[in-house]
Amino acid sequence: MIALLWELFFVFLKIGAFSFGGGYAVMTLIEREVTGRGWIQPEDFQQIVALAGMAPGSIATNIATLIGYHQSGILGAMISTAGIVFPSLLIVIICSALFLQLQNNLWLRSAFYGLRPIVTGLIIYAAVHFGMGKEKTIIFSWSAFGMLLLCVGSLIAVTKYKIHPFAIILIAAAGGIILF
């Protein structure tokens, strides 16, 4: 039990330390780590992602909490959450202490500009990866077409018509119930 708790902590500590771009960008790393250890089956991971996405807060933190709970109950949830949050907390504390000294540093600003396309690519990959079926191939069906319409419609509703994201989530959930 203690060994599993340490493993949960260090796995999520590693994920938290290398999770540039937020939860969606690191989702595939989490999936690889937890399914590779046999903690979660790949098809169950998609259910955890869906549940974590509906809960308030960071999706990566929610996934870590759910997986920790699945493995070791409340203590596992707390340990996994601490592991994934600790690196970010440490980085924020260090960065805030150094921010005023480094805010005009050309190298640092350039590095962050370089990270933007990578983070965007990781988020797009996560969207495509989790939009695929269990066979891990793109599904060409009416339901896939419906999901694409929901995706595009949601994007337009949020960006052009400024509809609140919570309303979009409710509409998309209703659309998912109709489609599936």
Side-chain angles (χ1 to χ4, degrees):
M1 173 73 171
I2 299 290
L4 177 59
L5 291 174
W6 277 110
E7 188 176 9
L8 281 167
F9 180 77
F10 283 117
V11 164
F12 285 108
L13 182 76
K14 177 176 68 170
I15 291 168
F18 297 103
S19 60
F20 291 100
Y24 289 102
V26 77
M27 210 177 313
T28 53
L29 175 60
I30 296 173
E31 180 184 28
R32 186 170 296 147
E33 290 289 331
V34 301
T35 58
R37 286 177 167 72
W39 292 345
I40 300 291
Q41 296 302 312
E43 53 275 1
D44 295 334
F45 186 76
Q46 290 191 356
Q47 297 299 318
I48 286 174
V49 168
L51 183 59
M54 290 188 292
S58 162
I59 193 164
T61 305
N62 293 344
I63 291 170
T65 304
L66 290 168
I67 290 170
Y69 183 80
H70 182 267
Q71 288 304 115
S72 294
I74 298 290
L75 189 56
M78 292 178 356
I79 294 291
S80 298
T81 303
I84 203 162
V85 168
F86 182 71
S88 298
L89 176 65
L90 188 62
I91 289 169
V92 166
I93 290 169
I94 291 169
C95 286
S96 64
L98 299 174
F99 179 73
L100 291 176
Q101 296 171 359
L102 297 175
Q103 69 181 351
N104 294 323
N105 184 300
L106 181 62
W107 287 75
L108 185 64
R109 289 173 60 187
S110 298
F112 280 120
Y113 280 122
L115 286 174
R116 286 181 182 177
I118 301 301
V119 169
T120 303
L122 288 170
I123 292 170
I124 291 170
Y125 174 78
V128 169
H129 180 72
F130 288 102
M132 295 179 180
K134 292 178 185 175
E135 305 82 24
K136 297 297 179 200
T137 57
I138 296 177
I139 300 170
F140 295 102
S141 65
W142 285 109
S143 60
F145 181 70
M147 285 192 302
L148 180 64
L149 284 178
L150 278 173
C151 180
V152 171
S154 298
L155 180 64
I156 292 170
V158 169
T159 57
K160 184 175 181 180
Y161 297 108
K162 308 294 185 219
I163 297 175
H164 196 278
F166 185 71
I168 300 300
I169 291 170
L170 291 177
I171 294 167
I177 290 170
I178 293 168
L179 288 172
F180 300 105

